[in-house]
């Protein structure tokens, strides 16, 4: 079985995003960028499935600017076999629906048994792409995965849901999106980072797949959220209790 | 505009998150409701009482019992011929189904809106709540998920909508529900609790978390939440996680105990009315959003607080 893992290059989760003064978006110049954390979890899961003998090949795909090659190299260093960059201009944000259409076109060529995505990009917080890809491929989906077991022609996915956990069984090929508890991604070792430089990385464009990436949603403006006004410090528990009493809860 | 709201339920009763989605939908146009499930006529009858609803579409079929998106999405897509917008609460089940519908309709979903600004214009948060975007859809039909904390709940009673049976293609045959481990807690549900007591990594282990946090929550009649670090370390189950990628809450009072205040955590609780932080590090970022801060060792302060609350 082949596994396809889409990864997105996003602002590093440790960076506090700043809104641009002109309200046009978030300032990404000179900001540290990394692989979306949920996608690292997806890459790790794919590598573990390969290590367990459940998969033969892992292909990683990113739709993004030329710099997304760094993200793909990180995945290659973690144990992925080859990479595809569907390159767009630096300023272009490709929406989840168009990403899903490109991924569908790639899946038509690659025929993966499993597509492993992150549940959400920490930039646009959309939480859509995996579900959309599953719809376009007309295949089942196991979102927010807490555990993934490939058994014969099926994958058993334990999902993190509002009330706890839910388990579903999906016929392969299937689409799975990762949640935080699925695994803890490895760090690539230096020798593996060196080896990754020699692994194949193919560069394509959305036009190669005949996909229109023009946006369906216009961002009219982006502003900072309202800031909370500074609070007070209490010296001890008695003072805290007095405050709670004045709030009517103690 | 004609909207269709997906009713979240457990095959027994309507879930609260639905009511916020109804409010959002009502500000967009007329509201019809979809109740899909197995043996759910009673749920449909309950939904018919929701104030602004004109009509309840009832799809009663074993294929819809567990809200499997492979089965639900084609049903919704069929029904959407008669509607301009599909409106869904941004719960884990809603987020599972809605994008699948959107892709089949060839539209971009508007995820977790926090306000309705115009016919096709909404606001939503991005970058872990560090920015608020005003977005306008150019699609012919809308698929929208709604953040529950951002909208008042529609009245659950007072309506008298007609119930109409509908059907879809049924079981797609590619997915099967196996089991669910749904925790039954004495404590109020996080997303509807008036008070929430949350604990972080500082709580050491499951037993300590329970010893320190639970008695305070019990005294206050509060729901219990946690940071990602506390969930990852196994102190509490995954559904306790508050934050960017967990639950979004906005109670009257939120206690953050032994939680540093990472942006991902703040994203889930900074709309709480009053935030109270207890942390031994006076520079912890949580104090920047707290209305009341106590710099103290939680293992002393929290039991003392629990003892002193009447
Ligand atoms: C993709 C992604 C998604 C994430 N999503 C979420 C999310 O949804 N929700 C979330 O919460 N996090 C999320 N995180 C994690 C987040 O970045 C932080 O790591 C996490 O919130 C830290 O949890 P914490 O505050 O409990 O732990 P820490 O940051 O370790 O803080 C512990 C705090 O306890 C205090 N403390 C220690 N001992 C005591 C004591 N005896 N008395 C009083 N105070 C004490 C310390 O001073 C410290 O401030 C996410 C991260 C990533 C990468
Ligand atoms: N531009 C992209 N390139 C590759 N994968 C992507 C891209 N955008 C989204 N994805 C995948 O889809 C997941 C969910 O993203 P989103 O729907 O944007 O929240 C991410 O975690 C990635 O796995």
């Amino acid at each position: 079985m082949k596994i396809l893992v889409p990864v997105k290059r996003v602002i590093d989760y440790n960076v506090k995003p700043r809104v641009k003064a002109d309200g046009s978006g978030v300032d990404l110049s000179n900001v540290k960028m990394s692989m979306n954390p949920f996608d690292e979890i997806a890459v790790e899961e794919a590598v573990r499935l390969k290590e367990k003998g459940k998969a033969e090949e892992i292909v990683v795909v990113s739709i993004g600017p030329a710099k997304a090659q760094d993200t793909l190299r990180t995945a290659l260093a973690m144990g992925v076999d080859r990479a595809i960059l569907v390159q767009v201009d630096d300023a272009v944000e490709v929406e989840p629906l168009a990403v899903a259409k490109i991924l569908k076109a790639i899946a038509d060529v690659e025929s993966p048994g499993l597509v492993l995505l992150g549940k959400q990009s920490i930039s646009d917080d959309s939480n859509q792409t995996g579900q959309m890809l599953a719809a376009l491929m007309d295949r089942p989906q196991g979102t927010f995965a807490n555990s993934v077991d490939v058994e014969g022609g099926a994958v058993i996915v334990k999902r993190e849901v509002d009330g706890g956990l839910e388990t579903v069984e999906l016929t392969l090929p299937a689409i799975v999106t990762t949640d935080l508890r699925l695994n803890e991604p490895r760090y690539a070792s230096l020798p593996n980072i060196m080896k990754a430089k020699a692994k194949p990385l193919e560069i394509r464009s959305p036009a190669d797949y005949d996909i229109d990436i023009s946006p369906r949603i216009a961002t009219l403006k982006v502003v900072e959220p309202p800031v909370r006004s500074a609070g007070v410090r209490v010296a001890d528990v008695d003072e805290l209790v007095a405050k709670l009493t004045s709030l009517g809860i103690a | 505009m004609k909207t269709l709201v997906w009713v979240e339920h457990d095959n027994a009763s309507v879930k609260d998150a639905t009511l916020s989605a109804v409010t959002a939908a009502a500000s967009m146009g007329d509201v019809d409701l979809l109740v899909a499930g197995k043996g759910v006529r009673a749920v449909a009858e309950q939904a018919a009482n929701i104030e602004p609803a004109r009509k309840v579409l009832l799809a009663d079929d074993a294929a819809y019992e567990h809200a499997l998106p492979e089965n639900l999405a084609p049903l919704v897509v069929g029904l959407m011929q008669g509607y301009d917008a599909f409106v869904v609460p941004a719960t884990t089940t809603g987020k599972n189904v809605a994008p699948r519908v959107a892709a089949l309709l060839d539209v971009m979903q508007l995820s977790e809106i926090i306000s309705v600004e115009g016919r096709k214009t909404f606001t939503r948060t991005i970058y872990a709540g560090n920015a608020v975007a005003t977005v306008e859809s150019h699609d012919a039909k809308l698929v929208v998920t709604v953040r529950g904390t951002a909208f008042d709940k529609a009245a659950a009673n007072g309506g008298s909508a007609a119930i109409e049976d509908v059907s879809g293609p049924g079981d797609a045959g590619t997915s099967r529900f196996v089991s669910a481990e749904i925790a039954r807690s004495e404590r109020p549900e996080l997303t509807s609790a008036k008070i929430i007591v949350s604990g972080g990594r500082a709580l050491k282990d499951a037993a300590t978390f329970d010893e320190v946090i639970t008695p305070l929550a019990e005294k206050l009649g509060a729901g219990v939440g946690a940071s990602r670090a506390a969930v990852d370390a196994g102190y509490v189950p995954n559904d306790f996680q508050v934050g960017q990628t967990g639950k979004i809450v906005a109670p009257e009072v939120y206690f953050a105990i032994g939680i540093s205040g990472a942006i991902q955590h703040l994203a889930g609780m900074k709309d709480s009315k009053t935030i109270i932080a207890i942390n031994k590090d006076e520079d912890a970022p949580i104090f920047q959003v707290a209305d009341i801060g106590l710099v103290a060792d939680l293992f002393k302060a929290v039991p003392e607080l629990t003892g002193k609350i009447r």
Side-chain angles (χ1 to χ4, degrees):
Chain A
M1 177 175 83
K2 193 188 284 188
I3 303 180
L4 187 67
V5 187
V7 300
K8 187 174 181 186
R9 177 178 182 267
V10 298
I11 191 166
D12 188 85
Y13 80 96
N14 272 314
V15 175
K16 182 167 163 56
R18 301 262 169 234
V19 172
K20 286 195 224 167
D22 66 0
S24 64
V26 164
D27 192 357
L28 295 179
S29 53
N30 305 314
V31 164
K32 184 176 178 210
M33 304 291 282
S34 300
M35 191 189 303
N36 185 43
F38 287 101
D39 306 352
E40 274 183 47
I41 296 173
V43 169
E44 175 66 32
E45 197 63 17
V47 173
R48 288 187 191 185
L49 285 167
K50 190 179 169 192
E51 286 168 350
K52 281 191 236 166
K54 305 270 186 188
E56 287 84 50
E57 193 189 20
I58 308 169
V59 181
V60 72
V61 186
S62 193
I63 294 110
K67 283 242 176 69
Q69 286 188 46
D70 301 347
T71 314
L72 292 168
R73 290 285 173 210
T74 305
L76 292 169
M78 287 171 74
V80 165
D81 299 292
R82 73 191 160 83
I84 304 170
L85 171 62
V86 181
Q87 192 172 323
V88 296
D89 288 342
D90 276 4
V92 174
E93 268 286 331
V94 187
E95 291 173 346
L97 179 63
V99 169
K101 287 179 180 177
I102 294 171
L103 294 174
K104 154 83 165 64
I106 293 174
D108 285 344
V109 178
E110 300 282 350
S111 306
L114 203 57
V115 187
L116 276 168
L117 304 89
K119 82 163 175 183
Q120 162 176 348
S121 19
I122 63 166
S123 48
D124 60 43
D125 283 331
S126 292
N127 196 331
Q128 302 181 22
T129 309
Q131 297 88 317
M132 288 184 152
L133 175 62
L136 298 177
M137 290 174 67
D138 197 17
R139 296 306 311 166
Q141 67 192 48
T143 53
F144 325 144
N146 176 282
S147 75
V148 173
D149 282 299
V150 177
E151 292 298 337
V155 58
I156 298 175
V157 182
K158 193 180 271 191
R159 309 178 51 236
E160 295 200 358
V161 296
D162 284 333
L165 294 162
E166 177 192 271
T167 305
V168 291
E169 184 182 320
L170 315 172
T171 310
L172 297 176
I175 288 78
V176 171
T177 76
T178 63
D179 215 318
L180 296 169
R181 261 66 60 178
L182 181 57
N183 61 49
E184 229 177 281
R186 70 194 64 192
Y187 289 101
S189 67
L190 198 57
N192 284 342
I193 292 172
M194 299 312 290
K195 264 190 253 164
K197 293 190 174 154
K199 290 186 179 176
L201 192 162
E202 189 187 335
I203 296 183
R204 310 292 297 269
S205 81
D208 293 343
Y209 304 99
D210 219 9
I211 306 291
D212 176 10
I213 60 164
S214 44
R216 306 289 191 83
I217 292 179
T219 299
L220 305 182
K221 73 170 186 248
V222 176
V223 297
E224 302 244 359
V227 272
R228 292 186 74 98
S229 49
V232 295
R233 293 277 168 107
V234 291
D236 53 28
V237 170
D238 288 330
E239 216 181 298
L240 177 55
V241 173
K243 287 272 181 208
L244 294 179
T245 309
S246 70
L247 287 172
I249 69 157
Chain B
M1 184 177 294
K2 288 181 75 183
T3 74
L4 180 64
V5 177
W6 177 71
V7 174
E8 177 147 10
H9 61 79
D10 52 8
N11 291 300
S13 58
V14 174
K15 294 264 190 184
D16 259 11
T18 309
L19 300 175
S20 310
V22 166
T23 300
S27 68
M28 295 163 65
D30 295 333
V31 180
D32 286 358
L33 305 176
L34 169 61
V35 173
K38 182 188 165 198
V40 284
R41 187 159 289 275
V43 177
E45 281 162 8
Q46 204 189 328
N49 295 328
I50 296 175
E51 175 82 51
R54 298 185 323 165
K55 193 158 76 177
V56 176
L57 308 183
L58 169 61
D60 208 325
D61 186 321
Y64 308 130
E65 182 175 8
H66 300 289
L68 292 171
E70 298 78 9
N71 301 349
L72 263 183
L75 166 73
V76 175
V77 169
L79 299 173
M80 280 304 289
Q81 288 201 322
Y83 294 93
D84 305 300
F86 183 50
V87 181
V88 178
T91 56
T92 49
T93 312
K95 289 172 179 178
N96 197 28
V97 173
R100 191 158 177 126
V101 171
L104 294 175
L105 293 172
D106 192 31
V107 309
M108 254 301 285
Q109 169 180 296
L110 298 131
S111 295
E112 283 210 60
I113 60 154
I114 59 170
S115 74
V116 177
E117 299 290 321
R119 246 187 91 73
K120 292 190 169 187
T121 311
F122 307 88
T123 63
R124 55 181 304 265
T125 67
I126 51 176
Y127 290 89
N130 285 289
V132 180
T134 304
V135 291
E136 182 187 37
S137 170
H138 293 163
D139 283 316
K141 288 184 196 289
L142 303 178
V143 173
V144 176
T145 66
V146 176
R147 179 171 291 182
T149 54
F151 294 87
D152 292 337
K153 291 187 174 60
N157 291 300
S160 56
I163 299 174
E164 189 179 300
D165 287 295
V166 295
S167 60
D171 193 343
T174 52
S175 60
R176 187 172 71 82
F177 169 84
V178 178
S179 63
E181 300 160 41
I182 301 299
R184 287 270 157 257
S185 162
E186 316 276 283
R187 308 254 54 81
E189 246 185 74
L190 269 185
T191 44
S192 47
K194 294 242 178 319
I195 304 176
I196 294 175
V197 180
S198 284
R201 194 197 309 269
L203 273 304
K204 287 205 178 101
D205 52 40
T208 313
F209 190 102
D210 192 41
E211 273 162 36
V212 177
I213 299 295
T214 309
L216 178 59
E218 253 162 27
K219 264 253 166 103
L220 296 168
V224 176
S227 69
R228 174 194 174 180
V231 174
D232 283 7
Y235 307 173
V236 289
N238 60 276
D239 53 307
F240 282 44
Q241 182 181 311
V242 171
Q244 179 190 16
T245 63
K247 290 197 172 119
I248 309 285
V249 299
E252 295 288 319
V253 184
Y254 186 90
F255 287 82
I257 298 176
I259 292 177
S260 60
I263 58 169
Q264 293 85 3
H265 189 78
L266 301 185
M269 45 64 81
K270 71 179 173 192
D271 291 332
S272 304
K273 199 147 172 239
T274 301
I275 297 173
I276 298 169
I278 302 178
N279 197 303
K280 69 175 181 189
D281 173 8
E282 61 174 326
D283 295 324
I286 191 74
F287 288 124
Q288 289 164 21
V289 300
D291 300 282
I292 306 171
L294 173 62
V295 179
D297 182 347
L298 75 90
F299 295 107
K300 287 212 198 80
V302 177
E304 187 186 339
L305 175 62
T306 307
K308 284 181 174 165
I309 289 174
R310 271 175 293 121

